[in-house]
Amino acid sequence: MYLISTDRVLIVNKETYAIIDIGSNTMRLVIYLRDKSGRLKEIENVKAVARLRNFLSEENILEEKGIEILINTLLSFQEVTRHHKLNEVKCVATATIRQAKNQQSILQRVKDETDFSMRVLSEYKEAYFGYLAVVNSTPFTSGVTIDIGGGSTELTYFEDRKLISYYSFPFGALSLKKQFIKQNIPTEVELHTLRTFLAEQFSSLEWLVNKKLPIIGIGGSARNMVQIHQEMISYPLAGVHQYKMNDQEVKNVNDYLHSLTFSELQRVEGLSKDRADIIIPAVEVFKLLMDVVKTDQFALSRKGLRDGVFYEELTKDFGITVFPNVIEESFYELATDYDIDVNHVLNVTNIGIIIAQLLNKVGLASINKYDMTLIKRGAFTFNLGKYIDSESSSQHTYYLLANRTIDGLLHRERIIIALIASFTSKAAFKRYVAPYINWFSKEELIKYRLLGAIIKFAYSLNATKRNIIEQIESEEIGEELHFYFTCNKDWKPEQYQVEKQKKHLEKQLKKSVILHFG
């Protein structure tokens, strides 16, 4: 059951936060608005392809041209931050500035010539912030994270949501391209050399080899690989966060990219044009890492370093940086965003669970522990679309849940919840599930319709939100299923509603449902 805390620590004032992320390939300014649920929502995302790594000399000196690009880009960002009247802007730099021997003079110039003070993240901090973003926004309790930037690649291994090991390799997509690939497209000899190098590097980490855990990719290259794959298969669902690929799918993307000329590569759907020359070495990194870890699972976290910085900032006063439960946090956000009556949905959830248990008891259903969890989540979000329009609540419920990123729920799970929470009839269910029909077996779809019908039935039993049901019993008599409801208040409004809605449960059970109130 979902218990929603009433003493939330994140205040509902509209607060604006900003961060500048100075990477080796790109620089970004992201502005967040903290909404009424406490979640940080992007309102501006400004990107500049600075490629600072290309201006780092063999002696690890950032050349004057690179410093000028850095300063000029920051001045461009400054126009935006001043427009939004942002006085405090976090400005963090990663591998290129970290590796530059003239780092101190760069920091001083940034401070003297712009509004910003730049913080250079250590290898540990860069890896840690990526790990923090993953464990606070995905369902993975154990795994390996990889964040491949332009000039470094951070890996972490976490178990039971605790960081166990980390490592920062001094190479990234841009530096690998520069070191191993002379033209825009690698030759077979160059690929062989690159693969040998990567295999040696990854295999040197004992804690990485044969881990057989999911790999969670962070950053632009991982996001682009996922977007390319979604375009290749005409993926019907919106969003890339928590998208999963297996090793064959990663190989298919890799093979597809290798089959293209550079001009064709620049026009690939899902691939940023400015990453066309570095996407192949980046995908090679993901593929080789999967081979070393011996895993068939690659997932994307759209949330990374920048989000990790804010997770640490916003929780520092409370002694925790890892949320106790990612999905509970997400459902709290839904409750706040869509004005969900928590007392009502918790009562409906209890009724739904009791109905499911009674159906199991009389042998009319086989609802397992996971199904009970689906009932809880479906009941919590049932009829959520009335927030937009009560007349078309089912359609809005389905659309909102299917197309909104819900941290902690993978894409398939999100569709299941959307189907259950929007259940209004078998016909509507079939329309909603049509684009995803190959995702589920016939037996699964029958089960989800039953769960939807149970929740709809349970909602009718609290139609006036008075929590009048005290006890429920049932018995099967021939072709009829009898329910007996003990109530603590007048039950006529509930009786009227449940008599209207019981037909959906009858169709799923293939039984007449007879109701007794008292």
Side-chain angles (χ1 to χ4, degrees):
M1 184 181 298
Y2 294 105
L3 299 176
I4 307 302
S5 172
T6 57
D7 57 348
R8 285 309 226 182
V9 295
L10 294 178
I11 310 303
V12 298
N13 295 335
K14 288 189 175 181
E15 299 174 65
T16 309
Y17 300 84
I19 185 169
I20 294 173
D21 179 2
I22 302 171
S24 300
N25 183 44
T26 61
M27 294 173 57
R28 280 185 190 269
L29 163 66
V30 183
I31 302 174
Y32 300 89
L33 181 68
R34 192 157 71 173
D35 62 20
K36 60 183 180 180
S37 70
R39 183 181 54 187
L40 291 176
K41 180 180 179 182
E42 277 189 22
I43 58 172
E44 295 284 353
N45 190 322
V46 185
K47 172 184 173 182
V49 183
R51 297 213 158 175
L52 298 179
R53 180 71 190 191
N54 288 342
F55 303 98
L56 193 66
S57 71
E58 292 183 3
E59 293 77 26
N60 279 353
I61 300 295
L62 187 62
E63 298 166 353
E64 180 60 28
K65 179 65 174 174
I67 297 174
E68 289 177 1
I69 291 174
L70 168 65
I71 298 294
N72 288 334
T73 304
L74 289 175
L75 289 173
S76 175
F77 289 169
Q78 184 174 286
E79 291 290 319
V80 181
T81 57
R82 286 183 175 181
H83 171 76
H84 285 276
K85 297 181 173 60
L86 299 172
N87 297 321
E88 292 189 25
V89 178
K90 290 187 177 297
C91 183
V92 297
T94 53
T96 294
I97 307 299
R98 182 169 62 236
Q99 295 164 11
K101 290 182 178 178
N102 55 336
Q103 180 188 122
Q104 289 305 314
S105 65
I106 297 169
L107 293 175
Q108 190 61 50
R109 285 190 60 178
V110 168
K111 186 176 181 180
D112 292 342
E113 299 177 36
T114 75
D115 289 347
F116 313 118
S117 292
M118 188 163 61
R119 173 189 177 191
V120 181
L121 298 181
S122 66
E123 294 176 350
Y124 166 73
K125 273 298 186 181
E126 186 172 358
Y128 172 74
F129 285 139
Y131 143 80
L132 200 59
V134 167
V135 295
N136 280 328
S137 70
T138 75
F140 301 103
T141 56
S142 299
V144 173
T145 71
I146 177 170
D147 185 355
I148 176 169
S152 69
T153 297
E154 279 65 47
L155 297 179
T156 74
Y157 157 50
F158 62 97
E159 193 79 43
D160 295 327
R161 305 182 75 214
K162 294 182 177 66
L163 181 61
I164 306 299
S165 301
Y166 83 96
Y167 194 80
S168 179
F169 287 103
F171 59 78
L174 206 56
S175 57
L176 288 173
K177 162 71 173 61
K178 188 176 180 180
Q179 182 178 350
F180 292 97
I181 302 169
K182 291 182 179 179
Q183 305 299 322
N184 288 318
I185 298 293
T187 65
E188 284 301 318
V189 173
E190 289 172 336
L191 277 175
H192 176 74
T193 306
L194 173 62
R195 289 165 179 166
T196 301
F197 171 78
L198 292 172
E200 290 174 350
Q201 295 295 309
F202 291 147
S203 297
S204 69
L205 299 180
E206 292 184 7
W207 54 264
L208 194 63
V209 178
N210 297 330
K211 216 63 185 179
K212 297 183 175 65
L213 288 172
I215 291 172
I216 302 98
I218 303 167
S221 294
R223 183 174 63 252
N224 272 218
M225 182 178 75
V226 160
Q227 289 171 173
I228 292 167
H229 185 250
Q230 289 185 338
E231 291 291 339
M232 287 173 63
I233 65 172
S234 300
Y235 192 64
L237 192 60
V240 294
H241 184 54
Q242 302 172 120
Y243 183 79
K244 290 179 68 175
M245 296 172 65
N246 59 38
D247 58 346
Q248 185 59 52
E249 290 168 332
V250 172
K251 183 179 183 300
N252 290 345
V253 172
N254 203 31
D255 291 345
Y256 170 60
L257 295 175
H258 283 298
S259 72
L260 304 174
T261 65
F262 185 63
S263 60
E264 291 171 332
L265 203 56
Q266 290 177 302
R267 298 192 297 274
V268 168
E269 292 292 336
L271 175 62
S272 301
K273 190 174 180 180
D274 59 85
R275 288 188 184 272
D277 61 334
I278 60 174
I279 189 62
I280 288 177
V283 175
E284 289 288 344
V285 168
F286 301 136
K287 184 174 177 297
L288 261 295
L289 182 61
M290 293 182 76
D291 291 342
V292 170
V293 175
K294 294 289 188 294
T295 184
D296 190 41
Q297 296 183 68
F298 181 95
L300 176 73
S301 172
R302 193 174 183 275
K303 298 184 179 181
L305 183 149
R306 293 184 296 274
D307 304 274
V309 170
F310 281 120
Y311 284 135
E312 182 181 66
E313 178 70 19
L314 295 177
T315 58
K316 66 182 181 182
D317 294 334
F318 315 110
I320 60 164
T321 52
V322 176
F323 298 154
N325 189 301
V326 175
I327 295 180
E328 273 197 23
E329 291 293 326
S330 295
F331 275 74
Y332 165 75
E333 290 172 0
L334 288 169
T336 306
D337 289 350
Y338 298 108
D339 295 337
I340 293 174
D341 184 336
V342 175
N343 182 53
H344 171 55
V345 298
L346 292 180
N347 186 265
V348 170
T349 299
N350 289 334
I351 294 173
I353 293 297
I354 292 170
I355 296 294
Q357 291 170 339
L358 290 173
L359 293 179
N360 281 346
K361 186 177 180 180
V362 297
L364 291 178
S366 180
I367 298 172
N368 58 34
K369 184 177 179 180
Y370 174 67
D371 299 330
M372 292 295 187
T373 298
L374 293 179
I375 289 175
K376 292 175 184 177
R377 294 174 182 169
F380 196 94
T381 52
F382 189 80
N383 210 27
L384 171 149
K386 71 179 184 300
Y387 176 87
I388 295 177
D389 181 64
S390 58
E391 189 176 2
S392 52
S393 173
S394 172
Q395 293 96 317
H396 288 303
T397 299
Y398 176 76
Y399 181 83
L400 288 169
L401 293 174
N403 291 282
R404 172 179 171 135
T405 294
I406 301 176
D407 289 348
L409 285 184
L410 298 175
H411 290 201
R412 187 177 186 273
E413 296 171 314
R414 203 168 83 204
I415 292 299
I416 294 171
I417 299 302
L419 289 169
I420 294 171
S422 65
F423 184 82
T424 186
S425 68
K426 183 178 179 180
F429 183 96
K430 289 176 69 175
R431 286 197 304 272
Y432 297 152
V433 80
Y436 316 99
I437 195 68
N438 295 326
W439 291 19
F440 307 106
S441 67
K442 182 179 178 182
E443 291 73 23
E444 285 175 319
L445 294 178
I446 291 172
K447 174 68 70 69
Y448 302 149
R449 287 202 300 271
L450 173 60
L451 300 185
I454 289 172
I455 295 171
K456 194 171 182 65
F457 189 78
Y459 256 76
S460 300
L461 288 166
N462 198 33
T464 59
K465 300 182 180 180
R466 293 177 299 149
N467 302 342
I468 69 166
I469 304 296
E470 288 194 337
Q471 187 175 344
I472 308 174
E473 296 177 355
S474 70
E475 64 176 334
E476 188 179 14
I477 304 175
E479 295 301 309
E480 297 176 342
L481 177 64
H482 291 250
F483 282 106
Y484 302 90
F485 304 105
T486 302
C487 306
N488 57 28
K489 293 184 179 69
D490 178 68
W491 39 261
K492 293 182 183 62
E494 274 68 25
Q495 181 189 38
Y496 174 76
Q497 286 298 326
V498 79
E499 287 285 357
K500 280 176 56 180
Q501 302 300 339
K502 70 177 185 178
K503 61 184 178 183
H504 302 293
L505 192 59
E506 290 176 327
K507 289 177 182 178
Q508 298 306 312
L509 299 176
K510 296 180 173 55
K511 290 275 185 182
S512 294
V513 173
I514 310 300
L515 309 175
H516 305 274
F517 286 82

mmCIF file with all atom_site columns, all heavy atoms in Angstrom, residues 377-388:
data_model
loop_
_atom_site.group_PDB
_atom_site.id
_atom_site.type_symbol
_atom_site.label_atom_id
_atom_site.label_alt_id
_atom_site.label_comp_id
_atom_site.label_asym_id
_atom_site.label_entity_id
_atom_site.label_seq_id
_atom_site.pdbx_PDB_ins_code
_atom_site.Cartn_x
_atom_site.Cartn_y
_atom_site.Cartn_z
_atom_site.occupancy
_atom_site.B_iso_or_equiv
_atom_site.pdbx_formal_charge
_atom_site.auth_seq_id
_atom_site.auth_comp_id
_atom_site.auth_asym_id
_atom_site.auth_atom_id
_atom_site.pdbx_PDB_model_num
ATOM 1  N N   . ARG A 1 377 ? -1.164  -0.105 -7.618  1.00 0.00 ? 377 ARG A N   1
ATOM 2  C CA  . ARG A 1 377 ? -0.734  1.010  -8.463  1.00 0.00 ? 377 ARG A CA  1
ATOM 3  C C   . ARG A 1 377 ? -1.854  1.464  -9.387  1.00 0.00 ? 377 ARG A C   1
ATOM 4  O O   . ARG A 1 377 ? -2.020  2.665  -9.642  1.00 0.00 ? 377 ARG A O   1
ATOM 5  C CB  . ARG A 1 377 ? 0.500   0.596  -9.266  1.00 0.00 ? 377 ARG A CB  1
ATOM 6  C CG  . ARG A 1 377 ? 1.716   0.347  -8.388  1.00 0.00 ? 377 ARG A CG  1
ATOM 7  C CD  . ARG A 1 377 ? 2.897   -0.208 -9.169  1.00 0.00 ? 377 ARG A CD  1
ATOM 8  N NE  . ARG A 1 377 ? 4.016   -0.479 -8.265  1.00 0.00 ? 377 ARG A NE  1
ATOM 9  C CZ  . ARG A 1 377 ? 5.095   -1.144 -8.597  1.00 0.00 ? 377 ARG A CZ  1
ATOM 10 N NH1 . ARG A 1 377 ? 5.229   -1.635 -9.836  1.00 0.00 ? 377 ARG A NH1 1
ATOM 11 N NH2 . ARG A 1 377 ? 6.072   -1.352 -7.720  1.00 0.00 ? 377 ARG A NH2 1
ATOM 12 N N   . GLY A 1 378 ? -2.634  0.513  -9.881  1.00 0.00 ? 378 GLY A N   1
ATOM 13 C CA  . GLY A 1 378 ? -3.756  0.870  -10.747 1.00 0.00 ? 378 GLY A CA  1
ATOM 14 C C   . GLY A 1 378 ? -4.839  1.622  -9.999  1.00 0.00 ? 378 GLY A C   1
ATOM 15 O O   . GLY A 1 378 ? -5.412  2.589  -10.516 1.00 0.00 ? 378 GLY A O   1
ATOM 16 N N   . ALA A 1 379 ? -5.103  1.199  -8.753  1.00 0.00 ? 379 ALA A N   1
ATOM 17 C CA  . ALA A 1 379 ? -6.105  1.891  -7.945  1.00 0.00 ? 379 ALA A CA  1
ATOM 18 C C   . ALA A 1 379 ? -5.654  3.295  -7.595  1.00 0.00 ? 379 ALA A C   1
ATOM 19 O O   . ALA A 1 379 ? -6.457  4.232  -7.559  1.00 0.00 ? 379 ALA A O   1
ATOM 20 C CB  . ALA A 1 379 ? -6.385  1.089  -6.668  1.00 0.00 ? 379 ALA A CB  1
ATOM 21 N N   . PHE A 1 380 ? -4.358  3.448  -7.344  1.00 0.00 ? 380 PHE A N   1
ATOM 22 C CA  . PHE A 1 380 ? -3.834  4.765  -6.984  1.00 0.00 ? 380 PHE A CA  1
ATOM 23 C C   . PHE A 1 380 ? -4.022  5.772  -8.118  1.00 0.00 ? 380 PHE A C   1
ATOM 24 O O   . PHE A 1 380 ? -4.277  6.952  -7.885  1.00 0.00 ? 380 PHE A O   1
ATOM 25 C CB  . PHE A 1 380 ? -2.352  4.644  -6.633  1.00 0.00 ? 380 PHE A CB  1
ATOM 26 C CG  . PHE A 1 380 ? -1.801  5.828  -5.899  1.00 0.00 ? 380 PHE A CG  1
ATOM 27 C CD1 . PHE A 1 380 ? -1.758  5.838  -4.511  1.00 0.00 ? 380 PHE A CD1 1
ATOM 28 C CD2 . PHE A 1 380 ? -1.334  6.937  -6.573  1.00 0.00 ? 380 PHE A CD2 1
ATOM 29 C CE1 . PHE A 1 380 ? -1.261  6.935  -3.818  1.00 0.00 ? 380 PHE A CE1 1
ATOM 30 C CE2 . PHE A 1 380 ? -0.830  8.038  -5.893  1.00 0.00 ? 380 PHE A CE2 1
ATOM 31 C CZ  . PHE A 1 380 ? -0.800  8.034  -4.510  1.00 0.00 ? 380 PHE A CZ  1
ATOM 32 N N   . THR A 1 381 ? -3.896  5.305  -9.350  1.00 0.00 ? 381 THR A N   1
ATOM 33 C CA  . THR A 1 381 ? -3.954  6.209  -10.509 1.00 0.00 ? 381 THR A CA  1
ATOM 34 C C   . THR A 1 381 ? -5.258  6.081  -11.290 1.00 0.00 ? 381 THR A C   1
ATOM 35 O O   . THR A 1 381 ? -5.430  6.743  -12.315 1.00 0.00 ? 381 THR A O   1
ATOM 36 C CB  . THR A 1 381 ? -2.776  5.928  -11.451 1.00 0.00 ? 381 THR A CB  1
ATOM 37 O OG1 . THR A 1 381 ? -2.725  4.530  -11.759 1.00 0.00 ? 381 THR A OG1 1
ATOM 38 C CG2 . THR A 1 381 ? -1.466  6.331  -10.815 1.00 0.00 ? 381 THR A CG2 1
ATOM 39 N N   . PHE A 1 382 ? -6.196  5.244  -10.827 1.00 0.00 ? 382 PHE A N   1
ATOM 40 C CA  . PHE A 1 382 ? -7.448  5.040  -11.548 1.00 0.00 ? 382 PHE A CA  1
ATOM 41 C C   . PHE A 1 382 ? -8.217  6.356  -11.684 1.00 0.00 ? 382 PHE A C   1
ATOM 42 O O   . PHE A 1 382 ? -8.339  7.114  -10.726 1.00 0.00 ? 382 PHE A O   1
ATOM 43 C CB  . PHE A 1 382 ? -8.310  4.010  -10.810 1.00 0.00 ? 382 PHE A CB  1
ATOM 44 C CG  . PHE A 1 382 ? -9.524  3.573  -11.579 1.00 0.00 ? 382 PHE A CG  1
ATOM 45 C CD1 . PHE A 1 382 ? -9.418  2.629  -12.588 1.00 0.00 ? 382 PHE A CD1 1
ATOM 46 C CD2 . PHE A 1 382 ? -10.767 4.112  -11.305 1.00 0.00 ? 382 PHE A CD2 1
ATOM 47 C CE1 . PHE A 1 382 ? -10.535 2.223  -13.304 1.00 0.00 ? 382 PHE A CE1 1
ATOM 48 C CE2 . PHE A 1 382 ? -11.893 3.722  -12.007 1.00 0.00 ? 382 PHE A CE2 1
ATOM 49 C CZ  . PHE A 1 382 ? -11.774 2.768  -13.018 1.00 0.00 ? 382 PHE A CZ  1
ATOM 50 N N   . ASN A 1 383 ? -8.690  6.602  -12.898 1.00 0.00 ? 383 ASN A N   1
ATOM 51 C CA  . ASN A 1 383 ? -9.502  7.802  -13.147 1.00 0.00 ? 383 ASN A CA  1
ATOM 52 C C   . ASN A 1 383 ? -8.709  9.093  -12.972 1.00 0.00 ? 383 ASN A C   1
ATOM 53 O O   . ASN A 1 383 ? -9.281  10.169 -12.800 1.00 0.00 ? 383 ASN A O   1
ATOM 54 C CB  . ASN A 1 383 ? -10.725 7.816  -12.236 1.00 0.00 ? 383 ASN A CB  1
ATOM 55 C CG  . ASN A 1 383 ? -11.904 8.528  -12.870 1.00 0.00 ? 383 ASN A CG  1
ATOM 56 O OD1 . ASN A 1 383 ? -12.022 8.580  -14.093 1.00 0.00 ? 383 ASN A OD1 1
ATOM 57 N ND2 . ASN A 1 383 ? -12.774 9.080  -12.049 1.00 0.00 ? 383 ASN A ND2 1
ATOM 58 N N   . LEU A 1 384 ? -7.396  8.996  -13.025 1.00 0.00 ? 384 LEU A N   1
ATOM 59 C CA  . LEU A 1 384 ? -6.532  10.172 -12.870 1.00 0.00 ? 384 LEU A CA  1
ATOM 60 C C   . LEU A 1 384 ? -6.849  11.248 -13.915 1.00 0.00 ? 384 LEU A C   1
ATOM 61 O O   . LEU A 1 384 ? -6.714  12.435 -13.664 1.00 0.00 ? 384 LEU A O   1
ATOM 62 C CB  . LEU A 1 384 ? -5.077  9.711  -12.970 1.00 0.00 ? 384 LEU A CB  1
ATOM 63 C CG  . LEU A 1 384 ? -3.920  10.700 -13.048 1.00 0.00 ? 384 LEU A CG  1
ATOM 64 C CD1 . LEU A 1 384 ? -2.686  10.076 -12.375 1.00 0.00 ? 384 LEU A CD1 1
ATOM 65 C CD2 . LEU A 1 384 ? -3.569  11.020 -14.499 1.00 0.00 ? 384 LEU A CD2 1
ATOM 66 N N   . GLY A 1 385 ? -7.304  10.822 -15.108 1.00 0.00 ? 385 GLY A N   1
ATOM 67 C CA  . GLY A 1 385 ? -7.569  11.751 -16.200 1.00 0.00 ? 385 GLY A CA  1
ATOM 68 C C   . GLY A 1 385 ? -8.705  12.717 -15.958 1.00 0.00 ? 385 GLY A C   1
ATOM 69 O O   . GLY A 1 385 ? -8.866  13.686 -16.711 1.00 0.00 ? 385 GLY A O   1
ATOM 70 N N   . LYS A 1 386 ? -9.487  12.493 -14.897 1.00 0.00 ? 386 LYS A N   1
ATOM 71 C CA  . LYS A 1 386 ? -10.579 13.437 -14.596 1.00 0.00 ? 386 LYS A CA  1
ATOM 72 C C   . LYS A 1 386 ? -10.029 14.810 -14.248 1.00 0.00 ? 386 LYS A C   1
ATOM 73 O O   . LYS A 1 386 ? -10.746 15.816 -14.294 1.00 0.00 ? 386 LYS A O   1
ATOM 74 C CB  . LYS A 1 386 ? -11.456 12.905 -13.464 1.00 0.00 ? 386 LYS A CB  1
ATOM 75 C CG  . LYS A 1 386 ? -10.822 12.902 -12.086 1.00 0.00 ? 386 LYS A CG  1
ATOM 76 C CD  . LYS A 1 386 ? -11.791 12.368 -11.042 1.00 0.00 ? 386 LYS A CD  1
ATOM 77 C CE  . LYS A 1 386 ? -11.214 12.458 -9.635  1.00 0.00 ? 386 LYS A CE  1
ATOM 78 N NZ  . LYS A 1 386 ? -9.964  11.685 -9.460  1.00 0.00 ? 386 LYS A NZ  1
ATOM 79 N N   . TYR A 1 387 ? -8.751  14.849 -13.891 1.00 0.00 ? 387 TYR A N   1
ATOM 80 C CA  . TYR A 1 387 ? -8.078  16.126 -13.607 1.00 0.00 ? 387 TYR A CA  1
ATOM 81 C C   . TYR A 1 387 ? -8.160  17.047 -14.822 1.00 0.00 ? 387 TYR A C   1
ATOM 82 O O   . TYR A 1 387 ? -8.243  18.266 -14.697 1.00 0.00 ? 387 TYR A O   1
ATOM 83 C CB  . TYR A 1 387 ? -6.621  15.854 -13.238 1.00 0.00 ? 387 TYR A CB  1
ATOM 84 C CG  . TYR A 1 387 ? -5.784  17.089 -13.000 1.00 0.00 ? 387 TYR A CG  1
ATOM 85 C CD1 . TYR A 1 387 ? -5.738  17.687 -11.744 1.00 0.00 ? 387 TYR A CD1 1
ATOM 86 C CD2 . TYR A 1 387 ? -5.018  17.647 -14.030 1.00 0.00 ? 387 TYR A CD2 1
ATOM 87 C CE1 . TYR A 1 387 ? -4.967  18.818 -11.515 1.00 0.00 ? 387 TYR A CE1 1
ATOM 88 C CE2 . TYR A 1 387 ? -4.235  18.775 -13.801 1.00 0.00 ? 387 TYR A CE2 1
ATOM 89 C CZ  . TYR A 1 387 ? -4.215  19.352 -12.555 1.00 0.00 ? 387 TYR A CZ  1
ATOM 90 O OH  . TYR A 1 387 ? -3.447  20.471 -12.339 1.00 0.00 ? 387 TYR A OH  1
ATOM 91 N N   . ILE A 1 388 ? -8.174  16.435 -16.016 1.00 0.00 ? 388 ILE A N   1
ATOM 92 C CA  . ILE A 1 388 ? -8.248  17.214 -17.255 1.00 0.00 ? 388 ILE A CA  1
ATOM 93 C C   . ILE A 1 388 ? -9.690  17.369 -17.712 1.00 0.00 ? 388 ILE A C   1
ATOM 94 O O   . ILE A 1 388 ? -10.147 18.476 -18.019 1.00 0.00 ? 388 ILE A O   1
ATOM 95 C CB  . ILE A 1 388 ? -7.402  16.549 -18.353 1.00 0.00 ? 388 ILE A CB  1
ATOM 96 C CG1 . ILE A 1 388 ? -5.912  16.590 -17.960 1.00 0.00 ? 388 ILE A CG1 1
ATOM 97 C CG2 . ILE A 1 388 ? -7.607  17.231 -19.713 1.00 0.00 ? 388 ILE A CG2 1
ATOM 98 C CD1 . ILE A 1 388 ? -4.989  15.897 -18.919 1.00 0.00 ? 388 ILE A CD1 1
#
